[in-house]
């Protein structure tokens, strides 16, 4: 591949990524291309499995969006059950704004006193959800969760 051809492909890719991020909580404003890896015709499912096994959330995130929704949910469950916040954050980010997933994991993290996972989820909560969790954490006297909710609300609104 010629350099000019590669440049055109990168420009096109970045343009598509920027469009996909519009209106989300994570818009693409200043892209940073940290590397390019030729994967040929390798299966994205195999790549995702390998990147997860290798502990590489950056490469994992790159292929995660190409997976079927059920497989994405499996990886989210795996990351949560293994206590892997890096992969959980990478996975949940690509599943938003699925409020059912958000609510289910917020409930699970709250019930299991997993502040770190709950904290990741607050970044995707709308004002109504944050108010709900703030009230609940206050009523339950769960100070860590209350702080996380207040901090997220302060940052978001």
């Amino acid at each position: 591949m010629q350099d000019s051809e590669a440049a055109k492909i990168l420009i096109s890719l970045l343009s598509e990524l920027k469009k996909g991020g519009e209106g989300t909580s994570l818009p693409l404003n200043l892209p940073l291309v940290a590397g390019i890896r030729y994967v040929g015709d390798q299966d994205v499912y195999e790549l995702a499995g390998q990147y997860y096994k290798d502990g590489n959330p950056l490469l994992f995130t790159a292929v995660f969006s190409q997976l079927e929704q059920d497989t994405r949910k499996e990886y989210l469950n795996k990351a949560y059950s293994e206590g892997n916040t890096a992969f959980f954050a990478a996975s949940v980010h690509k599943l938003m704004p699925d409020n059912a997933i958000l609510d289910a994991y917020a409930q699970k993290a709250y019930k299991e006193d997993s502040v770190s996972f709950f904290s990741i989820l607050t970044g995707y909560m709308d004002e109504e959800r944050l108010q709900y969790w703030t009230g609940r954490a206050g009523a339950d006297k769960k100070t860590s969760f209350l702080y996380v909710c207040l901090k997220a609300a302060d940052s978001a609104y």
Side-chain angles (χ1 to χ4, degrees):
M1 182 182 322
Q2 299 293 337
D3 288 345
S4 62
E5 187 181 348
K8 287 178 187 176
I9 292 170
L10 278 174
I11 290 168
S12 175
L13 175 62
L14 291 173
S15 176
E16 288 300 312
L17 288 172
K18 190 170 186 175
K19 283 183 206 172
E22 290 175 356
T24 69
S25 63
L26 296 170
L28 181 64
N29 295 322
L30 298 170
L32 169 66
V33 178
I36 299 173
R37 178 173 294 194
Y38 179 71
V39 295
D41 59 357
Q42 283 185 271
D43 182 71
V44 292
Y45 293 88
E46 290 174 16
L47 289 169
Q50 187 61 48
Y51 297 152
Y52 190 95
K53 181 181 159 199
D54 292 346
N56 193 327
L58 180 64
L59 293 178
F60 177 79
T61 303
V63 297
F64 185 79
S65 60
Q66 302 302 309
L67 304 173
E68 295 291 327
Q69 185 78 348
D70 288 343
T71 305
R72 291 181 190 183
K73 289 177 183 178
E74 287 173 19
Y75 274 111
L76 187 67
N77 288 331
K78 180 179 176 82
Y80 185 92
S81 67
E82 293 176 355
N84 193 329
T85 55
F87 281 91
F88 183 82
S91 302
V92 79
H93 153 67
K94 296 289 187 172
L95 290 169
M96 291 301 129
D98 187 326
N99 291 330
I101 290 173
L102 176 65
D103 292 341
Y105 277 97
Q107 195 74 253
K108 182 177 179 74
Y110 187 84
K111 182 180 176 185
E112 296 174 0
D113 286 321
S114 181
V115 178
S116 57
F117 284 98
F118 187 85
S119 178
I120 293 166
L121 296 166
T122 60
Y124 302 98
M125 292 182 184
D126 57 26
E127 186 175 8
E128 183 180 332
R129 277 184 175 73
L130 281 172
Q131 286 178 353
Y132 167 78
W133 285 109
T134 300
R136 184 167 172 189
D140 294 344
K141 295 184 179 18
K142 288 193 167 193
T143 310
S144 297
F145 286 91
L146 179 60
Y147 176 79
V148 165
C149 290
L150 291 172
K151 193 74 172 156
D154 187 47
S155 297
Y157 307 102

